[in-house]
Amino acid sequence: MKESVIIERVKEKKLRNGILITGLPGIGLIGQVVGRYMVEEVKAKRIARLLSPHFPHQVFMTKNGGMRLIRNSFFIHRGKKRDVLFLVGDIQAMSSVGQYEVAGVVMNYAKKMGVKEILTVGGYSTGKISEERRIFAVTTSEELKTRFKKLGVIFGEARGSIVGAAGLFPAIGQINGINGSCIMGETHGGYVDTASARQIVLLLSKYVDIPINIKRLDQKAAESQKVLKKVQEDIKRNMENQFETTTSAVSSYIR
Amino acid sequence: MKESVIIERVKEKKLRNGILITGLPGIGLIGQVVGRYMVEEVKAKRIARLLSPHFPHQVFMTKNGGMRLIRNSFFIHRGKKRDVLFLVGDIQAMSSVGQYEVAGVVMNYAKKMGVKEILTVGGYSTGKISEERRIFAVTTSEELKTRFKKLGVIFGEARGSIVGAAGLFPAIGQINGINGSCIMGETHGGYVDTASARQIVLLLSKYVDIPINIKRLDQKAAESQKVLKKVQEDIKRNMENQFETTTSAVSSYIR
Amino acid sequence: MKESVIIERVKEKKLRNGILITGLPGIGLIGQVVGRYMVEEVKAKRIARLLSPHFPHQVFMTKNGGMRLIRNSFFIHRGKKRDVLFLVGDIQAMSSVGQYEVAGVVMNYAKKMGVKEILTVGGYSTGKISEERRIFAVTTSEELKTRFKKLGVIFGEARGSIVGAAGLFPAIGQINGINGSCIMGETHGGYVDTASARQIVLLLSKYVDIPINIKRLDQKAAESQKVLKKVQEDIKRNMENQFETTTSAVSSYIR
Amino acid sequence: MKESVIIERVKEKKLRNGILITGLPGIGLIGQVVGRYMVEEVKAKRIARLLSPHFPHQVFMTKNGGMRLIRNSFFIHRGKKRDVLFLVGDIQAMSSVGQYEVAGVVMNYAKKMGVKEILTVGGYSTGKISEERRIFAVTTSEELKTRFKKLGVIFGEARGSIVGAAGLFPAIGQINGINGSCIMGETHGGYVDTASARQIVLLLSKYVDIPINIKRLDQKAAESQKVLKKVQEDIKRNMENQFETTTSAVSSYIR
């Protein structure tokens, strides 16, 4: 296998007013959590997998003694108004050359499947924990911007650069005549942020008009919130201890 | 040479009910030991070699003043019930891109030669020394699982991921319509485990129905077992010493 | 996207007696500063962009909520006597393989556009701050050398090697039948040297006979000169302190 | 430029009983010293250069204000009995993939030019300085072995592996139907060994029957021998000092 390939499991008819939603690992794992949760909740149908020599040369062992390559998977959901093609997976390509190649392969497949819009999900790392979990975005289209703004998404505040597929897909999509956006959940950056993922699931549920039961994710978010609170308290306590230690160390030094 | 290539030394007729058995370097060198031992014992015939720009750019100097490229080699053994194609060698490809390329080249050759099943041999590292040396496996086929289970191979217990050709070959094979399994000898992971390799040779001898004299490997295993026992005693003694040192260090600290 | 590509925004007629001037990031950022300033001052027209899998897999977020790939851009300026094709951008290819590929792609485009001469701009690092900011050059053509020498450019003094596009483009150009030069501003190497860039803008303005208002760059140079002076004073002060520290350390040592 | 290429400066008729002699940088720089010296002494004619994206993306500035790519060069010498194609240069390809690609490109060119034998020159590092500077070799052909043995070359003593073009070229040559040898000068490995290079020049002069004046190389070898003696004395003195220092440090510690 010399090139990244998409291997179709089942042939599917073209999407109606198709949107590609990608949820791959990245900052705070927000993309991956969002993608997997939506795919599970809407019971989307697995239709293809993406393999790449730019993914690690590893297979996972499954609990029943099976094995599978590290991969990305495409799922399809036929909605009332529009159809969604989900791309979720274990990993992103490990090099710049690999990222560009995978983006090209995905764009070709998206075109073939009738995708008219690209929506990638990622995290926007602020280094602190925000209660609000705002949603930032950038887009290649003024029309898309208007639509997202109506749903409370913030444009023009996130700055800097987006690394990986979340940025590359809409940008390469535009060259291929498909507009797109990157939707980023505000997050600390240092841990899996289910609470931020939850906000984005709610947004996408409205945006693509698919009812999604958020309960399971709420539970997860509550659990991870508890873990987080504990972590924060530990950090605080450690910092105080450290301060004390430092103080006593200093005092013993200046003694 | 831009691509990995297989260079045939002799043309051979297609295999009858062919099985590809690969024994390449990996955890505990179990694959390599098994592959080399079986090839030697059944006096398999060298029919092709695999060269790759993803192998190191080195040649070995031979004792009679010759030279040869780092390579993998194919050997053939015509059995009573089925024919075996062995792949053994010095090395695996050094990058993910190289691993996928080599896997693709090997699959094409295997198909051409009439291979119907892939069997890779590796080690499963547990970090401790087991007397039992169990054999774990994962497979792409329920039928193969049933066959191996009858021979005492354990499915569903080994977890995590398999790095390299041992995992990639059966997984890429499946895409190419050839089912396969990865057979893993239980091993410490930190040294060459001839005893674990021995168990797998016995298994494969039954599985492909080739009588193999295990004596030479038993001797090696006995020797390495002695070395190992010595190593363990040394480690134990060192740890005790270390413990004493630590204890005294602590006592001097809390004094 | 597997290969580096040039994507034309507008089709343009061939250049008359065309010269390609490249200003990419490098030593002292002199190339980038020169390229961007000239493009802005002559209001050159953006006609194409260069994308490459050898650039980082990142997009920049823009202040109005847009996004764009890391890229290089081509601008065109129709002069009185000759037309200029500018190549400016965020980055150079990140590997040797990428640098050679991009150079090949640019050469093909340059030929197609009627480029007859290549001129790259870089910095020549001396490790000290020169008031004079001399201009060094190397070239593939005696005729070009003569022309630049008349304008005070120094040949045969800069030694060693040039890393990246500034050296590669004229050298690969020559193989493609297009002569070229690399013009290097004398610079410290450790900071952005607007003053050195200024000298090169003046030179190029004469060389390609385009009037360029240097005022904005003079202001920037003055500002950075002030910053620099401050930095130098700080360094000097620190070194004196350090010297004192060292002295006292030594005296305590030899005590 | 995506691939390694050979660019011919002048077309030359095929070699009579051609031999390719390569002298590229490697252990003790012996190959490079031998190659350059022979090319200069026999006034071989430059006929082609080899460029590669696997060489560094750098150009050298020349003393007269010119520039040239990092490269390898082919020179031709029409001998009385057989013609020699020399390959000398600044560098070897920087990756395994690059080394194999360059080897393939060189083999194609060698075949086209009528090369019937490959001879690479390298160093064999022993970590000590031998007065004798023996010459070791490995070869792909018994016939070549016999010929070299008559000239005092030692086969079967050098062991381990040869890294880079010196090993790759004869090995890849053999696959292409051209036999070859790698001739290695015994050397310390830690410095440029002109004395060892000298021995190989003498050998090759006999082997390909080209008279070569060794005087200039003798002078260089004598000079570097002096430098070396000085270095050795310094090392010895330093080691004695270090020993003393260590001793006193220890004594002050156990005081």
Side-chain angles (χ1 to χ4, degrees), chain B residues 10-24:
Chain B
V10 286
K11 295 275 168 194
E12 280 284 336
K13 267 188 275 184
K14 275 199 170 193
L15 302 163
R16 292 162 309 130
N17 187 21
I19 181 169
L20 172 68
I21 297 182
T22 75
L24 296 169

Side-chain angles (χ1 to χ4, degrees), chain A residues 109-133:
Chain A
Y109 184 65
K111 268 183 169 175
K112 191 192 117 184
M113 290 302 292
V115 165
K116 306 295 183 206
E117 180 184 347
I118 293 162
L119 190 158
T120 62
V121 177
Y124 185 72
S125 164
T126 58
K128 48 191 177 191
I129 294 161
S130 121
E131 284 304 310
E132 218 181 333
R133 300 297 202 295

Side-chain angles (χ1 to χ4, degrees), chain A residues 124-125 136 138 156-162 184, chain C residues 60-65:
Chain A
Y124 185 72
S125 164
F136 303 106
V138 288
E157 243 183 73
R159 298 307 297 273
S161 72
I162 304 169
M184 292 164 283
Chain C
F60 291 124
M61 297 186 262
T62 62
K63 61 184 167 211
N64 60 347

Side-chain angles (χ1 to χ4, degrees), chain D residues 131 133 195 220-230:
Chain D
E131 283 304 310
R133 302 296 204 293
K220 279 195 202 172
E223 282 162 31
S224 54
Q225 208 67 17
K226 266 190 225 160
V227 172
L228 192 63
K229 214 158 187 181
K230 175 103 183 43

Side-chain angles (χ1 to χ4, degrees), chain A residues 5 159 215:
Chain A
V5 289
R159 298 307 297 273
K215 226 164 56 184

Side-chain angles (χ1 to χ4, degrees), chain D residues 146-162:
Chain D
T146 308
R147 272 203 258 161
F148 279 111
K149 272 184 154 176
K150 279 184 193 154
L151 297 168
V153 175
I154 301 159
F155 285 81
E157 242 183 73
R159 298 308 296 272
S161 73
I162 305 169

Side-chain angles (χ1 to χ4, degrees), chain C residues 3 96-97 99-101 104 124 138-139 145 155-156 158-164 167-168 171 175 184, chain D residues 1-2 7 49 51-70 94:
Chain C
E3 317 267 316
S96 205
V97 166
Q99 286 270 358
Y100 274 91
E101 180 181 308
Y124 184 72
V138 287
T139 179
K145 196 199 286 184
F155 285 80
R159 298 308 296 273
S161 73
I162 304 170
V163 178
L168 225 53
I175 297 167
M184 292 164 284
Chain D
M1 213 177 84
K2 286 220 56 169
I7 297 172
R49 68 200 140 147
L51 304 177
S52 175
H54 301 286
F55 293 164
H57 49 292
Q58 291 180 21
V59 301
F60 291 123
M61 299 186 261
T62 61
K63 60 185 168 211
N64 60 346
M67 66 202 295
R68 70 168 190 77
L69 281 167
I70 287 189
M94 294 179 299

